[in-house]
Amino acid sequence: MEADKVEPFMKLKTKVVFGDSFILNRMTRILGGAQKHTYLAETKSGFCFIIYIWDKSTTYFTYDEEKDIFSSSSSLLFELNNKLMLQHNVLTPKLYFMDRSKGEQDYEYAFAEYIDGTDMDDIIAQQEDRLPRVLCSLKTSINNLHKIKSDFVGQLNRLQTEEFNVLEHSLRTAQKNIGYLKAADGSNIKLYMGVWDKLLELSKIMEKRQEYTFIHGELGPNHVLVDKYDNAYLIDIEGGKYCDLEEEISFLNIRFGSLLENLEMDLDSDRMEFYHIGHCLNNLSGAIQLKLKDYYDMDDVNGMIQHFNGLLKEVVRQQAVD
């Protein structure tokens, strides 16, 4: 969805939301998301904000709301998660306005706070001297996020029943991803079967929990915005949910390496390995989907495919050693 197609409408809505003195001067697409379209909106007075648009045409993935109980492409979840996170002192850009009605347009959209800064990938690669302060801010928000608890698994708009077993659900998801990968990549079938054997082994020694933690679900350096004061803001928050804490921490280990050591937590090593494998399978199958759909950054996609295949090979190698 190109900026020039939505800009006339957004000019009108800018005045409605912020007042007649706020005149939208320019909308610029911000690349990076696979679930929604993001634009930097600049007004003639210099005030900037972010416009998010959710529409079937803005995602590279297909979701069935009845089957994909942990969808990460929902504008409603963006609104609900934003409110919860801000209430618990988790830094995330403020939501100014949300319209999910599709009454005036055939898409859902929101106006959110613009953070004038850079993403954490840039801090790690080029501004290492800022890392200690940024990590301090980020760890505070992550710890605050993980203090939010629930007796039930699920997203805020769809908590599951007491009988729901997230381990069984995760195992079924992994099985589905393995089936997809075997069909898409016949050269690695032996690898995927070895990974499946390890998942089955782990699933037999883990027990269902009675309390769950609110997690971001997709938190990597590309989902952290850093302002000029080194405050770290969590973005792309639609995937937030109550789940095993190990699902989050195993993903953070993949994305941040050793940078996020010393978070406040008590972890189960079997769950850590179980969710690590699940993340590798999910990210690998997602990367292959992006490749087939001609994602705009194919170098990144090919790098992901190589990286997660490598992590899965390490799982199988370790299994052989054990």
Side-chain angles (χ1 to χ4, degrees), residues 64-130:
D64 182 332
E65 287 294 330
E66 295 304 316
K67 296 179 180 179
D68 296 297
I69 62 172
F70 296 137
S71 168
S72 60
S73 63
S74 165
S75 60
L76 172 60
L77 284 169
F78 179 91
E79 183 172 16
L80 294 175
N81 294 346
N82 184 270
K83 181 178 180 180
L84 180 71
M85 291 166 70
L86 290 174
Q87 286 175 341
H88 288 83
N89 299 314
V90 177
L91 281 183
T92 191
K94 297 181 182 69
L95 177 63
Y96 296 134
F97 176 78
M98 169 74 76
D99 187 353
R100 299 192 310 275
S101 69
K102 297 186 179 180
E104 297 175 279
Q105 298 293 322
D106 59 358
Y107 50 79
E108 301 171 351
Y109 64 96
F111 293 175
E113 180 183 10
Y114 167 63
I115 304 301
D116 187 7
T118 186
D119 68 31
M120 196 167 173
D121 277 321
D122 183 64
I123 301 293
I124 294 170
Q126 303 185 45
Q127 304 182 59
E128 193 172 340
D129 60 306
R130 299 176 63 186

Side-chain angles (χ1 to χ4, degrees), residues 102 215 300:
K102 297 186 179 180
I215 65 174
D300 185 45

Side-chain angles (χ1 to χ4, degrees), residues 69-70 145-156 159-160 164-170 209-217 239-250 267 271 274-275 279:
I69 62 172
F70 296 137
L145 186 74
H146 293 163
K147 290 174 183 175
I148 309 171
K149 304 291 184 178
S150 171
D151 294 337
F152 303 97
V153 173
Q155 295 179 305
L156 295 182
L159 292 176
Q160 303 302 305
F164 180 83
N165 189 324
V166 69
L167 296 172
E168 292 177 356
H169 173 80
S170 298
R209 283 182 174 150
Q210 303 302 315
E211 184 180 64
Y212 301 94
T213 300
F214 196 80
I215 65 174
H216 180 283
K241 61 187 176 185
Y242 291 106
C243 193
D244 282 333
L245 177 60
E246 288 84 357
E247 177 173 328
E248 179 101 299
I249 303 305
S250 59
L267 301 170
R271 274 178 167 78
F274 178 80
Y275 284 117
H279 290 314

Side-chain angles (χ1 to χ4, degrees), residues 7 71 84 112-113 129 160 164 185 196 230 232 234 238 245 277 294 297:
E7 191 166 318
S71 168
L84 180 71
E113 180 183 10
D129 60 306
Q160 303 302 305
F164 180 83
D185 181 13
W196 176 245
D230 294 329
L234 310 191
E238 293 95 316
L245 177 60
I277 296 170
D294 197 26
D297 189 347

Side-chain angles (χ1 to χ4, degrees), residues 11-236:
K11 284 184 176 181
L12 295 174
K13 295 306 297 186
T14 297
K15 290 186 177 183
V16 171
V17 174
F18 298 113
D20 289 339
S21 62
F22 289 84
I23 301 171
L24 182 62
N25 189 42
R26 179 169 50 249
M27 281 178 62
T28 305
R29 174 83 185 277
I30 300 175
L31 296 176
Q35 306 290 344
K36 60 183 179 293
H37 279 191
T38 304
Y39 302 89
L40 170 61
E42 303 171 74
T43 68
K44 290 187 177 180
S45 65
F47 173 72
C48 296
F49 61 99
I50 296 295
I51 298 175
Y52 292 122
I53 293 179
W54 291 267
D55 181 74
K56 290 181 179 179
S57 68
T58 64
T59 178
Y60 284 85
F61 303 113
T62 301
Y63 290 100
D64 182 332
E65 287 294 330
E66 295 304 316
K67 296 179 180 179
D68 296 297
I69 62 172
F70 296 137
S71 168
S72 60
S73 63
S74 165
S75 60
L76 172 60
L77 284 169
F78 179 91
E79 183 172 16
L80 294 175
N81 294 346
N82 184 270
K83 181 178 180 180
L84 180 71
M85 291 166 70
L86 290 174
Q87 286 175 341
H88 288 83
N89 299 314
V90 177
L91 281 183
T92 191
K94 297 181 182 69
L95 177 63
Y96 296 134
F97 176 78
M98 169 74 76
D99 187 353
R100 299 192 310 275
S101 69
K102 297 186 179 180
E104 297 175 279
Q105 298 293 322
D106 59 358
Y107 50 79
E108 301 171 351
Y109 64 96
F111 293 175
E113 180 183 10
Y114 167 63
I115 304 301
D116 187 7
T118 186
D119 68 31
M120 196 167 173
D121 277 321
D122 183 64
I123 301 293
I124 294 170
Q126 303 185 45
Q127 304 182 59
E128 193 172 340
D129 60 306
R130 299 176 63 186
L131 262 180
R133 297 183 299 276
V134 173
L135 286 170
C136 181
S137 173
L138 178 58
K139 288 178 180 180
T140 297
S141 278
I142 291 174
N143 284 327
N144 287 342
L145 186 74
H146 293 163
K147 290 174 183 175
I148 309 171
K149 304 291 184 178
S150 171
D151 294 337
F152 303 97
V153 173
Q155 295 179 305
L156 295 182
N157 67 332
R158 187 188 284 186
L159 292 176
Q160 303 302 305
T161 65
E162 186 176 354
E163 291 72 30
F164 180 83
N165 189 324
V166 69
L167 296 172
E168 292 177 356
H169 173 80
S170 298
L171 188 63
R172 289 194 300 270
T173 300
Q175 185 177 33
K176 179 181 176 181
N177 281 326
I178 286 175
Y180 174 79
L181 290 169
K182 287 167 63 179
D185 181 13
S187 65
N188 276 316
I189 289 178
K190 185 177 180 180
L191 168 65
Y192 303 138
M193 293 309 298
V195 169
W196 176 245
D197 289 342
K198 183 61 179 179
L199 283 172
L200 287 178
E201 175 188 322
L202 290 167
S203 69
K204 294 175 182 177
I205 57 178
M206 296 183 297
E207 295 183 357
K208 181 174 175 288
R209 283 182 174 150
Q210 303 302 315
E211 184 180 64
Y212 301 94
T213 300
F214 196 80
I215 65 174
H216 180 283
E218 301 175 324
L219 188 57
N222 60 320
H223 291 158
V224 178
L225 279 179
V226 182
D227 69 12
K228 61 183 178 181
Y229 303 108
D230 294 329
N231 297 307
Y233 291 78
L234 310 191
I235 62 171
D236 287 344

